[in-house]
Amino acid sequence: MTRDPLTGEVFLRVVGRRSRPPLGEPPSDESQQAQASLLRYRTRAPKGIFIYRNHEEMEADRLRWTVEAMIERAQHG
């Protein structure tokens, strides 16, 4: 069993190799670059609440927004 030093949670099994840096230590350059890349990520879906009459209408909008994002990335990427 492993105890998380920050939260005190006890885990029966830990899968993977990712580990948290020691408290007070700044993130690595690689970690900072990964976080910065997430800030530039755009879904192209407009904000708001959408109410659709059926699933097909929702799928059509989602597909349109996905294609628009792919086109924008190809033009500016």
Side-chain angles (χ1 to χ4, degrees):
M1 288 199 288
T2 305
R3 180 177 296 275
D4 187 306
L6 187 61
T7 64
E9 291 180 276
V10 177
F11 299 98
L12 296 176
R13 182 180 353 166
V14 176
V15 178
R17 299 183 187 179
R18 187 180 308 174
S19 61
R20 184 179 294 143
L23 292 175
E25 183 176 308
S28 67
D29 289 338
E30 181 180 308
S31 178
Q32 288 179 0
Q33 290 173 359
Q35 290 176 355
S37 72
L38 292 175
L39 293 174
R40 292 186 300 270
Y41 179 75
R42 292 182 56 203
T43 62
R44 294 286 304 172
K47 292 184 178 183
I49 297 173
F50 300 91
I51 299 173
Y52 296 100
R53 285 178 283 189
N54 54 46
H55 193 73
E56 288 76 23
E57 286 183 8
M58 182 276 303
E59 281 289 329
D61 270 354
R62 190 175 67 119
L63 178 61
R64 182 171 47 87
W65 297 327
T66 301
V67 170
E68 287 172 0
M70 292 169 66
I71 291 170
E72 183 177 330
R73 178 173 284 178
Q75 290 174 345
H76 296 91

